[in-house]
Amino acid sequence: MSLNLDTLRLQIDSLDHKLIALLNERAQVSLDIGAAKKQAMDPQEEDSTHVYIPGREKVVFEKVTRLNPGPLAADSLCAIYREIMSASIALQKDVMVAYLGPVGSFSHDASMKRFGDSVQYASQGTIADVFEAVERGRCQYGVVPFENSIAGSVVPTLDKFVKSKVKIRAETYLPVHHYLLSKSNIESIRRVYSHPVALAQCQTFLNSRLKGIELVPCASTSEAAQLASKEKFAAAICNRVCAEIYGLDILHADIEDQQDNTTRFFIISDAWDAPTANDKTLLMFTVDHRLPGALCDGLKVFKDHNLNLTKIDSRPSLIRPWHYVFFVECAGVHGDSEAMHTVVAELGKYCLDVKIIGSYADQLVQE
């Protein structure tokens, strides 16, 4: 069959008109939803209304993937819907998201993946600054790295959860690929900047190609790129986008030890999300170390209630030496559920200072 280019272009124009009308119709319904939320709540609580509902977004992405007949790839269609929902969020309310910056960091990537291009972003110098921005109400949401598939837990994030009142609202997983960037050639490199976690993820490359070179830890990988861009014979291990942002050359690509390198991020806020069909919950508690088996008794509570533990960690409590806070993540239960209320009550028999840090839709399978 012969294809007429002019006819096809007219068809595209007609579809664009329909798309624009439908997108604006959807946006108006989104505004009506926001108005209905405000109408149903106390006016004094209006500022605390959440327009970012990650559980609902997960349902939308799953539906879009399920209904997609092609030829658009599911990832491409979900990316389009990410921006549609981002624009809807911005229409309902001014939203500010704090992230570990500067621009070009993996935290910035994770933030964009979760919130899209229509909300506002606030770069922070440290993970502690991200927590503070949310705690003080300067930002409604914050994005912090929690753990990496190679380097393990991100200690500054765990330490902030010990004292902070913020809650975990969502999780997201970001594939992480590291690049060696510089304005010099690799033979002349004398110093390499990067985040400590990124340095830990690239040990094989560093030991084989840059053995003995000074390694300088930074607050973020994008800060490392900033520093390397201003210093002769310096390099940075960071995100590929930093090459364009900071005027650096790519010397080597994909230098991480494992190609499936992935970092999990938490979206923090003043409240966790409503229950979904598949949630995870993170708790923290301490135990009396003078009582033999106290930790074992506490963990047995989860087994007795048939809850699978997906992560266990510990950090010094700073109350006294050799006293620890334990972090436990369990799958298939939400913090508002009767099951979790029962677990918390039973934990109280063996543990001290039991606190739910957050409940969030499990994103691992989908992403």
Side-chain angles (χ1 to χ4, degrees), residues 8-24:
L8 291 171
R9 283 174 173 164
L10 286 172
Q11 190 176 351
I12 287 286
D13 289 343
S14 176
L15 288 169
D16 283 342
H17 279 91
K18 294 175 183 177
L19 277 173
I20 291 169
L22 286 171
L23 286 171
N24 278 292

Side-chain angles (χ1 to χ4, degrees), residues 12-156:
I12 287 286
D13 289 343
S14 176
L15 288 169
D16 283 342
H17 279 91
K18 294 175 183 177
L19 277 173
I20 291 169
L22 286 171
L23 286 171
N24 278 292
E25 183 179 346
R26 189 187 193 281
Q28 184 58 58
V29 173
S30 177
L31 285 171
D32 292 342
I33 289 172
K37 287 179 184 177
K38 292 178 181 178
Q39 195 175 51
M41 71 187 310
D42 188 323
Q44 293 183 343
E45 297 178 352
E46 189 173 312
D47 288 343
S48 63
T49 304
H50 282 279
V51 292
Y52 172 59
I53 314 295
R56 171 62 183 160
E57 289 194 353
K58 184 182 180 186
V59 171
V60 172
F61 286 131
E62 288 173 345
K63 179 183 67 177
V64 166
T65 300
R66 185 175 66 253
L67 296 177
N68 180 30
L72 279 177
D75 286 348
S76 298
L77 201 56
C78 285
I80 293 168
Y81 264 80
R82 166 71 281 154
E83 292 307 322
I84 291 172
M85 288 188 284
S86 177
S88 295
I89 288 172
L91 276 175
Q92 289 187 41
K93 188 175 182 179
D94 288 335
V95 170
M96 183 75 75
V97 179
Y99 69 93
L100 177 63
V103 171
S105 67
F106 290 107
S107 292
H108 185 237
D109 268 8
S111 302
M112 294 290 292
K113 176 183 179 182
R114 265 289 157 220
F115 289 93
D117 199 44
S118 293
V119 304
Q120 301 176 66
Y121 291 95
S123 172
Q124 307 295 315
T126 65
I127 288 172
D129 292 338
V130 176
F131 274 81
E132 183 180 342
V134 175
E135 290 165 347
R136 298 196 173 209
R138 296 196 299 268
C139 297
Q140 291 90 350
Y141 306 101
V143 179
V144 292
F146 180 62
E147 65 174 331
N148 176 262
S149 59
I150 297 175
S153 297
V154 179
V155 169

